[in-house]
Each structure stands twice: as structure tokens, then as C-alpha cells.
Amino acid sequence: MVEYASRAAARARARETVGVATFVRRLDWILIGSVGALVGYGLWAIADITRRDVTGDAHYYLTRQAVYASIGVLCLVAAVLIDPDVYRTRWRAIFGGTSFLILIVYLQGQAVRGSKRWLDLGFFKFQPSEFGKVLFVLALAGFLAERSRHLNELRTTLTAGGLALVPIFLVFLQPDFGSALVYCAAVGAVLLVAGTPWTHLGGLGAAAVAVAVLVLGVMPAAGVPVLKKYQEKRLTGFLNPDSDPGGTTYNITQSKNAIGAGELRGRGPDNATQTTLNFLPEHHTDFVFASLAEERGFFGAAFLLMLYLLVVWRGFRIVTLAREPFTAIVAGGLVVALLFQIFVNVGMTMGIAPITGIPLPFVSVGGSSMIANLIAVGLLLSLHVRARTARR
Amino acid sequence: MARRVISRRFLPPDPRAEEPYRLTPRLALRVGLLGMVAIAVFATLFLRLWSLQILNGEQLLRAAQNNQRREVRVPAPRGSILDRTGLPLVTNVPSTVVQIDQSSLPKTKTARLRELRKLARILHVPLREIGATLRRHRYDLLTPVTIKSGISRAQAGYLDERADDFRGVRVTDVSLRYYPHRELAAHVLGYVGDISQEQLDALAKDGYRPGDTIGQSGIESEYDKYLRGKPGLEILRVNSLGRKQGPTIPLVPPAAGNTVRLTLDLKLQIAAEEALRYGIERARNSGCQGCWYANGGAIVALDPRDGSIRAMASNPTYPPSLYVGRVRQRALDAAGLTPRSAESMNYPALNRAINAAYPPGSTWKPVTAIAAMQEHILQPFEPLACTGEYEKNGQVFKNWDPFVNEAMTLTTALARSCDTYFYQVGYRFYGMPARLGPRLQAWASRFGFGQKTGIDVGSERSGLLPTPAWRKETYTKKTDPGHWQIDRLWKPGDSIQLAIGQKDLLVTPLQLARFYAMVANGGKLVTPHLLLDVEQPSANRSAGRVLPTPRPPAPEPTNVDAQALNVVREGLFEATHSSLGTSAAIFSGFPIPISGKTGTAEKFIDPGDGYLHNFNQSWWCGYGPSDSPDLVLCVLIENGGHGGDAAAPAALKVFEQFFGKRATQRGAIHSD
């Protein structure tokens, strides 16, 4: 442990408050390092991947992504500095505000490719559902921390479930099926880490399965389609990839070709024809992993996955370090949401997960996703610092 | 773990917390569970990545590479078609065409529309037509679509200068079919056009591909394999939208098509078509019954020694150039080349020499004569009564000349085309024992009637050679509910009328010409053909050479008695030379002796008033010089009246061209 050597000095310097140096020392530098590496690696990959996408401006996406990352880093620093207890006590406001934002998007947002996810702020297209991932975890964790003595009561679990349903339903209506799934995963993790009894968790799981069966199987059969046709096709398309190579599974086929073509060492940015000749659609957003794998090969892709693994590990470590339920719940929820996004996005490009419009954290071009994920990391760091301090 | 010092808490103590929160075994289990899930997730992702990139990498790399390579065919210049002396009948002409490369058009709909509208104005092509053409090719974005051919230099210059305003539009030189003699021999030569889906399905294994040009009829279609050449190949790199990336790499240069030389004689062909027009005009002016409706005809001229066709004309005709470049539906309509307008123009696309069947009338009499002599039911010098009428079983059959009343031998009967003479011969055929079968038809079949001649161009009709069996098959309760019991029987009248080439009998002009060639060459049945040879043009390294092609079958002996043939030949000579011969007035004044037979075949025609009229089809078939024939000719003028009125004078015109001599005098025509 780094701080062992200076423990005495630290004790001497600060009793109730923590000095800047101590604060900085107690940050999780492995987490910072791995996230920094992720963002840097992502920018480097984006620079090559999008070089030909906008004629006349090879750095179009790179500049934007760099600006987003800078804003994100500022937000991260802010998140680190704010005491998480602020969120814990104000979870109602967070919940209400976020729900309101998502509702506004649903009512006013611009439809892009049939889905209203963005609020146009003029300089920036703001996607509340990305920030919602972080904010709802905070709100739910606040609620559960408040009721940590009553976790065994069914009422607690049902209320938590009811609260969770609001954003899930709103996002589902946008429709942003991918984000709704991420929310579900986060809610599950939050409840699990909070200590909800297994029986309740089992009940919620069964309910979720029942809803899935209803939405995917029973209701369409009864003539009430809940999912749009394309959503259903995407969800089931990866199960039989050769069903329609020109249509729904075109993306998957091209994506798998791109990844496979990378082989061990990658084809390099100039020869990565799947990307440069545009066979791979959305290669700077949803399918960025496939492009990276094509250009940098197994080495490059595996390196990215290792960085993610590092981040996830550090996140779970915070859960174990937590000195109060709120810390553990927030850390658990954020890390599982991140893990879920990584799996669904990377799995989608490799044909083992359904196609949902989930971006690859820290790499896909997109301001909301980048900033929201960096805020989440800031929260984790902040929780880490407080947990470490509480340990003294 | 480190000691806990409660007082040093960073966060204020939670008043509700009875004991500090810590990692209980319960929580540890749950976090451990999540950690296991995470490990499982990453293990899955790593394994999948390994499987795709390392295990299947090579295969997927190939798939990715195949994504971007496109092979594009470069059309080969089509071979020319020459006449027997080497004069061009069909050649190519370089033409400046405007093509649209669909994948390079502006991306937005409005910009595309604006550009196409401007293009339509410059080229004088309706925008709707451009749109329709592009839609037809919407699944093949790499092959440029020709919008207009033969644009002016000014138009080409305008488009070149404003290339930036016309993205995806290119002006290139291509070679198009050129017909130096316009309509000449249009039916024989045929035309070329874009390959159709049906042709593609049938010919894909021969290397035909969508967008290819292929002969659609006539020689162009029949000998497409020689004419088309071998298209070259170029390699393109494309992106996912099918847009070209980088330069094209030539892989295989195109090989020009071979030259096809026909047996046609350009000058004789011109003469034949002129003669046909002359015959039709003459018939119209003759005032004979129904001749005002003379509106078509055919001439076949062939070499009786080997069956090579020297001229083949059909009227009405059409300019094949209508099918060159951008085909305009309206122009085809006006020329009678669409199903909608064909009838009103009397089917100009029909090659009447081979693809239309008519009753032969008296030109059939030599067939009857030869068959009767071969069957020994007729002695050539046996006089039979030629009267104005012939009555059998209460049915009266009339002679074309009601006033004749004398005994005739076969040669005279042929020369003067006595119907009643041949009625009697026909009845003799009827009286032959049934076990021998229909002998007249058997001989006719041996002479090639009722079957295709095997000519190497286009679709051919086999005509109809009626037999008792045919009647029985054709007239059944179902097809002929009122009279089938009667109609299915072969009656005396059938034999009697068959003897003069009437009633159900149908022949094509080419079949008849082939029979007269057999009479002319002493009994050998030739296979009519148009192909003389196929020549490979000299390329930069190889000299031109004649390619081996399947030879037409050698003339087949029919084993006809030479004496019987001689009698018929004499009859045909007298028909053109004795004082009462049916076409003597026309041919007796010609310095080269010509033999031949007129024919006037009755056919029921609806000239457009809704009623059927019995109109005469004017025939003349013969050959010259009489003793060693060089040319056999068959002329048919639809609704042309008597054979001597329209067909024979037309035939004379062709002979005049062929022998380079002119007829000197004419007498009165006395013809059936």
C-alpha cells in the first residue's frame, strides 16, 4: 500500500478533513490509469478508423471525440470532488429530474432513424438516457441505502422495482431498447449488492423473464406487437446469422468478416477495407470494436478487452472496500452497467449478442456516452477515496 | 486489515447505523458472484475473438477481400455480315453515346432529379424515359446505362465542358450496328438487342451475362456465337455502395467478333426486293378481284445445285436500325414491330419466305404429276379430257378457264395448268388401295413438304401436308362438334383438290423453291442455307482465316425417276414458251430459256371489312436456264391475283438481274 510510508505524516496533517495530497494519494490510480489508457487508445483508434469518413476533414470525428473526452475529464474531476453523500440524501430530486429529462426527450426530441433519443442543445446533441444510466443507479442506491434496515421487507423490493420501471419504460418508449436493457442489468446489480433477499430477486427475475416472453412471444402472437419489427429481428438475428445476409444480418456478417480479417496482427488502417470502403456500417459508433479488431488484429482487440477487465476489477474492488451501503450499491450498479454494455456491444460485433444500439464505452464516437461514462468513473473514484478515508 | 478508528471517519456518522457497514460474508458472496459473471463475460469475449481472428481468420479475410473486387465485362466489337462477294450487309459504326453510371449519380434525390432533368433537356430524351431505363438496371449499378446514342458533337462538347454539373454522366464512343442498305434483307439479317431474362436463363452456360447484346432474330441470332466475339474483363475495386475506387485494371482484352459471310448476293437481293415491290404494285394496278389488297409477298432465290440462298425477300419489311442504340417504343409501333401495331401493318417482322404458309395452288401440280407417274397411275402421254368442269359424286370442281375443252397430255396440262386434268389424277390417287397409304402425300413428304427445310436462319414453319390420319386427328368431337363425323373422313374431294394444291395444303415459299430446285437439279433435295463461311478478322498478330463451320448437308437423292422428271421439266418449259403456256407471254421474250409454273391459290382473307373473301394468292416458281439451271426462283404475291399477273413479272425482274439480260417482247398473259 502506497500510503503506509506516509501514514504518520498524514495523520499528523489532517484529522477530520483530508489534505489535497492525501486525497490525491487515495485516488485509485490503477483505475485512473486504465481509464486514461482506454480513452487514449480509443482516440488513437478513432483517428485511424474515421480518417476517410468525412471528405476533406480527416480529423472530423477525432476532434469532436477529443473535445468530448476533455469535457468528460472535467466532469470526472468534478464528480471526484463532490462528496457522494450529496447524492445519497438527494436521491428523490435526482430521480425526478432525470425522469423529467427523459420524458422531455420522448415528447420533444428529434427522431433520428425512427427513435427519439436526443435533445438538441444547439452545440451539442444531448442524450439523457446515457446520463440516466449513472443517475438512476445513484437514485436507486440512495433509496435502498435509506431503507437498508428494511431490505427484507417485500415492500422495499417492490418500491425499488417500481422506481426502476419508470426509466426503463420511458427509455423503452423512445425507443432505445439497448439502454432499457442496460438499466435492467444495473437495477439487478443494485438490488443484488444492496442485499435484497434471494427470494425477492428470484421473483423479480421470474417477472422479467415473464415480461420478455410476453413481449417476444405471446403478445405478437396475439396480434399486439410491442417491439418494432426491426427490433425483434435484431434481437433474434444473431441466433441464426445466415437467415438474411443482405438485410438484418448484413451488419453482423460484415462485422464478423471485419474482425476475422484482422487476424493476429491486424490489417492496418490503410488495408482495412471493411472499414475504409464502408462495408462495415456505423464503424465509428456501434461497430467500432469490429473496425478496431480489423485494423489492429487480435493483439489490439485483446488489449482493449484487458483494459476493460482492469476497470471492472477496480470497480468491484470498491464494492468490497465500501464502508457504507450507498458506496457498495452505487459501485456495483455502475460496474455491472459498464460490464453489460461491454458485453452486449463487443458480443454484438462478434455475433454472440443481439444487435442493440449500445455504444462501446470510452471508444465509440459520441459525446453523451463518453461524458456519462467518465462521470461514472469519477463517481467510482470519489467513492473509492471516501471509502479509503473511512477506513482510517 | 487496517485498524478502524471511528473518530477519523471522513463521512459523518449515520445516526441510524447501529453497527458500521462492512464486507459481510453475505455481501462477499454476492460480489463474488458478480465477479464470476464478469470473468465469464470476458472469457466468452476472448474466446470468441480468438475463434474469429485466429481460427477462422483466413476464411473471413477472404470474405472481406471478395467484398471489394468486381469484374466488369468490356463488350467486344461485333463481327460484320457480308454478302457472298464480300460486300457489307451489316457493319459497325462508332457512335457517341451518353451513359449514366448509376453509382456515381448525386446522392440526394433532389440533386439527382435536377441533373437528370437538365440532361433530358439537352439530349431531347423525355425524363420519364430516362427514369424508366435507370429503373430497369437498378440492380446492376456497375454497368453504365446508355441513355442516348448518336449524339451530336455539340451535345458531347457541352456535356464534356460541364462534367462537374453532370456527375455520373459520361460520353463515350461505342460501336453500334449499322445497316448500309437500310431495310435490305432485314428478315434474314435480323437485329440485335439487350439480352432478355429468358435468353439469359437458357444461355448463361455459354458465357452470356446480364447487359450483353445478343442477336434477337435472323442471322444475328443464329450465328451470334460467331458474331459476338469474346468480351474482355476489367477489375474494379468498389466500396460498399458499389462506387468505383481507383483505376480499372484490364485483365483480358476483348476479342472482336468474326465476320459472317452469307450466300446472299447483294445485287440479286436488291433486285428481288425491288421485284417484290414491283409485283405488288402491278397486282394493285391490275384491277383483278381482290388485288387492291395485294400487300405482301416473298421471293426466294436459291442455287439448285447446293441449296445456297442467293436472295430472300419478304414484304412488308422494316429498318433494323430501329433497334440500334436507344430503342424507341413509338418508332417500333409506327413500323408495326410491336404486337399492338403488327396486324395493321400486315406483320412486317414476319419472314414470309420461311415463316408463313400458303396454299400453293397450281405450282403444286408438278408434285402431283411426279407422284402419279411414280405410282404408275398416270402415263405421261395418256390424253385426259380437259374441260371447264369436273364432276365427282355430285360435286362440281371448276377449271380456272371455263372454255377449254380438249384432250391433253401431261406436258400440255402442266403448260396450260389444266385443273380438270389434275382433278382426275387426284381422284386416281383416291382410288388407290388404302393399305398403300396416301401415296401423293408420301411423295410430297419425300420432297420436303410438311416438314422444315432445315434452313439456318430464324423460325421456320413446316406448313401442312394433309393426310387421312391428319383429318382423323384434327377433327374430333371436341374440336368440331357440329360436323366431326363427316370432317374426320378423307373424302374424294380432298384428294381431288390436293392434286391442284388447294384446300388444306399449306407450304412455305422456301419449301416450294426447294422442290423446284429438286426438279431443276435432277432429283436431289438440297438443304437451303445462308451461311457461306465464317472468317476471323486479322488481328494485330494473327492473320485472318476461315473458321471451320459445320457444312450444310449434301443434296439428298430422292430417287425420282429421271423420265418422270424430264416430262415435268418439259411441261414447265412449255408453260413459259408454248403459245398457250401460262407465263409464256412473260418469259418467251427473255433470251435465256426459263422454265416455271404459275399458281393461283385461293385463300380466304379478311381484308378488314369483317368478312372473308376468296382472294387469289399469286405464285410463280421456276428456274433458268432451262437445260442447266443456275437459279431457282419462287415468287409469292399475297392477294396478287393470277400467277401470271403479278408473280411471274416479278420473277422475270429477278432473272433479268441474275443473267444481266432484259426481256424484249411481251404478249398477252393467259394464266391461271
Side-chain angles (χ1 to χ4, degrees):
Chain A
M1 291 250 159
V2 186
E3 72 270 33
Y4 263 107
S6 55
R7 183 168 292 160
R11 271 194 212 127
R13 217 181 296 136
R15 292 285 169 211
E16 288 303 315
T17 54
V18 179
V20 175
T22 318
F23 187 89
V24 168
R25 229 183 300 118
R26 285 178 186 170
L27 285 171
D28 185 347
W29 285 100
I30 297 184
L31 181 59
I32 293 175
S34 47
V35 169
L38 264 178
V39 172
Y41 189 52
L43 285 173
W44 178 65
I46 287 293
D48 283 332
I49 290 168
T50 63
R51 198 190 291 163
R52 290 172 185 79
D53 283 0
V54 178
T55 17
D57 188 358
H59 302 306
Y60 180 89
Y61 286 115
L62 179 66
T63 355
R64 265 154 193 76
Q65 185 75 340
V67 170
Y68 300 145
S70 317
I71 298 172
V73 168
L74 290 180
C75 294
L76 179 142
V77 172
V80 170
L81 292 177
I82 297 170
D83 188 338
D85 230 33
V86 172
Y87 316 122
R88 186 172 63 80
T89 51
R90 293 174 180 76
W91 68 266
R92 286 177 185 79
I94 294 174
F95 181 83
T98 317
S99 298
F100 179 69
L101 259 183
I102 297 181
L103 191 67
I104 283 192
V105 170
Y106 179 62
L107 297 176
Q108 309 236 316
Q110 298 180 316
V112 176
R113 276 174 255 171
S115 131
K116 295 176 180 175
R117 300 180 188 177
W118 290 271
L119 265 186
D120 200 344
L121 302 183
F123 59 96
F124 182 57
K125 275 199 181 148
F126 179 65
Q127 192 182 352
S129 59
E130 286 292 335
F131 295 93
K133 284 169 197 164
V134 180
L135 294 171
F136 276 114
V137 167
L138 284 177
L140 218 55
F143 166 75
L144 287 169
E146 195 176 289
R147 306 210 21 120
S148 55
R149 304 283 158 233
H150 312 279
L151 281 173
N152 287 329
E153 292 169 21
L154 187 60
R155 215 180 117 229
T156 311
T157 309
L158 286 183
T159 316
L163 285 176
L165 268 183
V166 174
I168 292 174
F169 189 66
L170 283 176
V171 169
F172 183 77
L173 278 183
Q174 282 183 355
D176 185 354
F177 191 72
S179 291
L181 283 182
V182 175
Y183 285 22
C184 286
V187 167
V190 161
L191 289 174
L192 185 74
V193 175
T196 306
W198 288 107
T199 46
H200 297 180
L201 286 175
L204 280 181
V209 170
V211 167
V213 168
L214 210 63
V215 165
L216 280 178
V218 179
M219 303 230 333
V224 190
V226 181
L227 289 181
K228 309 232 181 290
K229 198 78 206 156
Y230 79 94
Q231 287 179 322
E232 198 182 311
K233 268 192 180 167
R234 286 174 177 184
L235 280 182
T236 53
F238 82 103
L239 293 175
N240 30 340
D242 300 325
S243 61
D244 181 17
T248 316
T249 55
Y250 169 86
N251 293 4
I252 288 301
T253 312
Q254 297 300 352
S255 169
K256 285 202 288 197
N257 285 349
I259 294 173
E263 297 190 287
L264 194 61
R265 291 163 190 282
R267 305 172 81 183
D270 293 321
N271 294 323
T273 51
Q274 288 290 98
T275 305
T276 54
L277 299 182
N278 245 329
F279 286 105
L280 186 62
E282 302 289 332
H283 54 247
H284 63 286
T285 55
D286 292 356
F287 284 94
V288 71
F289 181 80
S291 275
L292 175 74
E294 187 190 16
E295 295 191 351
R296 302 296 165 201
F298 183 75
F299 288 144
F303 178 64
L304 184 78
L305 290 182
M306 297 295 279
L307 288 177
Y308 282 127
L309 185 56
L310 218 55
V311 172
V312 169
W313 166 51
R314 294 313 284 185
F316 279 133
R317 191 170 160 277
I318 295 169
V319 180
T320 64
L321 294 179
R323 302 321 302 167
E324 53 171 348
F326 184 71
T327 307
I329 298 171
V330 170
L334 290 179
V335 171
V336 169
L338 184 74
L339 177 67
F340 186 82
Q341 291 187 64
I342 293 166
F343 175 70
V344 173
N345 180 283
V346 176
M348 165 185 86
T349 63
M350 297 194 290
I352 54 171
I355 303 179
T356 51
I358 295 180
L360 186 64
F362 307 113
V363 181
S364 285
V365 173
S368 298
S369 161
M370 174 65 100
I371 295 168
N373 283 315
L374 284 173
I375 289 175
V377 172
L379 274 171
L380 287 177
L381 286 171
S382 168
L383 292 170
H384 182 262
V385 170
R386 271 77 187 184
R388 287 273 303 278
T389 309
R391 281 180 169 272
R392 303 288 108 190
Chain B
M1 296 305 278
R3 283 168 300 144
R4 245 176 283 134
V5 185
I6 305 297
S7 62
R8 283 197 195 155
R9 276 184 170 210
F10 179 75
L11 297 168
D14 187 346
R16 290 161 298 183
E18 281 148 21
E19 61 179 88
Y21 184 84
R22 57 184 184 81
L23 187 66
T24 56
R26 217 170 74 126
L27 179 60
L29 171 73
R30 293 179 174 217
V31 175
L33 214 70
L34 284 179
M36 253 137 70
V37 169
I39 287 169
V41 160
F42 278 99
T44 312
L45 293 182
F46 272 114
L47 283 177
R48 180 66 178 169
L49 193 63
W50 176 268
S51 143
L52 281 177
Q53 296 201 290
I54 311 300
L55 302 183
N56 295 318
E58 240 169 277
Q59 181 197 338
L60 294 173
L61 177 63
R62 219 171 306 125
Q65 283 166 342
N66 286 343
N67 248 346
Q68 36 158 349
R69 255 173 67 111
R70 292 277 189 287
E71 288 184 352
V72 179
R73 286 155 72 86
V74 186
R78 205 172 163 81
S80 302
I81 304 177
L82 310 178
D83 89 332
R84 63 185 303 121
T85 57
L87 296 170
L89 295 172
V90 185
T91 56
N92 295 315
V93 63
S95 169
T96 312
V97 300
V98 176
Q99 293 180 324
I100 288 187
D101 179 9
Q102 297 208 64
S103 65
S104 310
L105 281 176
K107 278 184 203 168
T108 60
K109 209 170 177 184
T110 47
R112 201 163 50 220
L113 204 62
R114 199 181 321 125
E115 177 178 318
L116 291 182
R117 195 172 290 140
K118 217 165 5 162
L119 190 66
R121 239 192 338 265
I122 294 163
L123 298 179
H124 309 297
V125 179
L127 182 63
R128 197 151 22 95
E129 217 167 282
I130 296 180
T133 315
L134 292 184
R135 257 195 305 286
R136 262 204 303 283
H137 293 88
R138 65 181 174 278
Y139 298 118
D140 179 22
L141 295 181
L142 283 177
T143 312
V145 182
T146 302
I147 294 299
K148 174 148 182 160
S149 53
I151 62 166
S152 70
R153 192 170 295 182
Q155 285 170 321
Y158 186 93
L159 288 176
D160 263 350
E161 277 168 27
R162 290 163 182 79
D164 284 347
D165 296 349
F166 293 99
R167 287 183 50 206
V169 175
R170 54 183 224 185
V171 180
T172 44
D173 289 327
V174 298
S175 77
L176 293 178
R177 271 326 214 189
Y178 175 63
Y179 303 90
H181 306 288
R182 293 201 284 281
E183 287 104 337
L184 192 83
H187 300 95
V188 173
L189 300 173
Y191 62 91
V192 297
D194 286 347
I195 194 163
S196 73
Q197 191 55 50
E198 293 80 46
Q199 290 167 330
L200 207 52
D201 292 343
L203 296 170
K205 60 177 189 310
D206 296 336
Y208 289 88
R209 295 286 175 272
D212 275 4
T213 301
I214 185 174
Q216 297 288 359
S217 74
I219 292 292
E220 295 272 24
S221 162
E222 190 70 32
Y223 293 116
D224 194 68
K225 59 181 173 202
Y226 299 128
L227 291 167
R228 64 192 284 246
K230 257 215 175 91
L233 271 185
E234 281 176 356
I235 294 209
L236 285 183
R237 280 185 67 201
V238 299
N239 66 6
S240 65
L241 297 173
R243 258 165 247 247
K244 204 174 115 186
Q245 312 275 314
T248 46
I249 306 147
L251 198 66
V252 183
N258 298 315
T259 302
V260 165
R261 193 190 280 246
L262 298 184
T263 58
L264 288 184
D265 184 327
L266 176 63
K267 286 192 182 127
L268 199 66
Q269 179 73 25
I270 294 171
E273 299 203 357
E274 260 170 24
L276 199 49
R277 283 193 290 274
Y278 167 75
I280 292 168
E281 200 53 39
R282 201 182 148 110
R284 281 195 187 150
N285 296 335
S286 72
C288 73
Q289 193 251 329
C291 291
W292 60 270
Y293 194 57
N295 55 0
I299 292 184
V300 178
L302 52 78
D303 186 327
R305 288 159 296 205
D306 61 0
S308 59
I309 289 174
R310 297 302 182 89
M312 180 181 270
S314 177
N315 192 290
T317 181
Y318 64 94
S321 55
L322 290 179
Y323 289 102
V324 172
R326 188 171 65 97
V327 179
R328 276 156 317 196
Q329 208 59 32
R330 198 175 299 167
L332 294 187
D333 259 346
L337 295 173
T338 55
R340 197 149 56 92
S341 63
E343 195 184 348
S344 66
M345 306 280 294
N346 199 18
Y347 304 100
L350 183 69
N351 186 355
R352 287 167 159 74
I354 59 171
N355 202 12
Y358 305 85
S362 301
T363 50
W364 179 261
K365 282 171 184 164
V367 181
T368 310
I370 294 173
M373 284 186 283
Q374 288 282 344
E375 293 299 321
H376 307 294
I377 57 173
L378 179 68
Q379 303 296 319
F381 302 108
E382 165 192 0
L384 290 179
C386 181
T387 50
E389 287 179 359
Y390 173 72
E391 197 217 317
K392 198 69 209 169
N393 302 342
Q395 203 178 349
V396 176
F397 302 93
K398 291 193 169 166
N399 191 23
W400 68 272
D401 178 358
F403 308 113
V404 66
N405 191 359
E406 56 182 282
M408 286 185 186
T409 59
L410 180 54
T411 47
T412 318
L414 279 172
R416 295 173 60 180
S417 200
C418 177
D419 293 334
T420 42
Y421 179 98
F422 282 94
Y423 290 148
Q424 296 167 62
V425 177
Y427 190 68
R428 287 181 184 182
F429 274 110
Y430 183 78
M432 289 183 76
R435 67 184 155 79
L436 295 176
R439 295 310 298 167
L440 174 53
Q441 289 92 324
W443 281 99
S445 174
R446 193 188 284 194
F447 301 150
F449 292 103
Q451 51 199 285
K452 296 186 172 168
T453 63
I455 188 174
D456 52 351
V457 60
S459 55
E460 188 187 358
R461 284 222 194 170
S462 42
L464 175 61
L465 186 58
T467 61
W470 168 80
R471 282 207 88 81
K472 212 166 175 179
E473 269 169 40
T474 311
Y475 296 96
T476 62
K477 202 170 178 178
K478 220 183 267 171
T479 58
D480 185 18
H483 317 279
W484 66 282
Q485 285 106 329
I486 302 283
D487 284 345
R488 71 182 182 141
L489 299 175
W490 184 267
K491 296 173 288 299
D494 290 309
S495 284
I496 290 167
Q497 294 213 57
L498 179 63
I500 63 154
Q502 281 293 162
K503 216 165 177 224
D504 302 311
L505 180 67
L506 292 173
V507 304
T508 66
L510 182 63
Q511 282 176 333
L512 215 46
R514 191 186 184 201
F515 167 74
Y516 276 87
M518 189 214 75
V519 174
N521 68 20
K524 289 192 292 287
L525 199 61
V526 296
T527 302
H529 58 271
L530 279 156
L531 182 71
L532 193 62
D533 60 38
V534 176
E535 291 152 31
Q536 192 173 48
S538 50
N540 29 359
R541 230 161 285 160
S542 61
R545 67 190 176 100
V546 174
L547 294 179
T549 47
R551 303 309 310 167
E556 249 177 80
T558 50
N559 300 324
V560 176
D561 188 275
Q563 288 305 312
L565 268 184
N566 275 339
V567 173
V568 169
R569 290 171 64 134
E570 200 168 313
L572 294 179
F573 182 79
E574 279 190 21
T576 51
H577 290 89
S578 79
S579 56
L580 283 171
T582 49
S583 51
I586 292 150
F587 292 103
S588 56
F590 191 59
I592 307 289
I594 304 289
S595 302
K597 181 81 197 72
T598 53
T600 307
E602 294 178 347
K603 192 180 176 191
F604 286 92
I605 303 274
D606 171 11
D609 59 0
Y611 296 96
L612 290 178
H613 296 261
N614 190 356
F615 282 178
N616 287 329
Q617 313 297 309
S618 178
W619 281 98
W620 190 88
C621 285
Y623 48 83
S626 296
D627 38 1
S628 65
D630 289 330
L631 190 72
V632 170
L633 207 58
C634 242
V635 179
L636 162 78
I637 309 286
E638 285 182 9
N639 313 321
H642 292 288
D645 291 337
L652 179 65
K653 293 264 174 203
V654 182
F655 279 123
E656 282 180 345
Q657 165 63 36
F658 186 76
F659 294 111
K661 296 195 159 72
R662 300 194 61 87
T664 45
Q665 62 175 81
R666 305 250 161 105
I669 298 166
H670 185 70
S671 147
D672 67 341

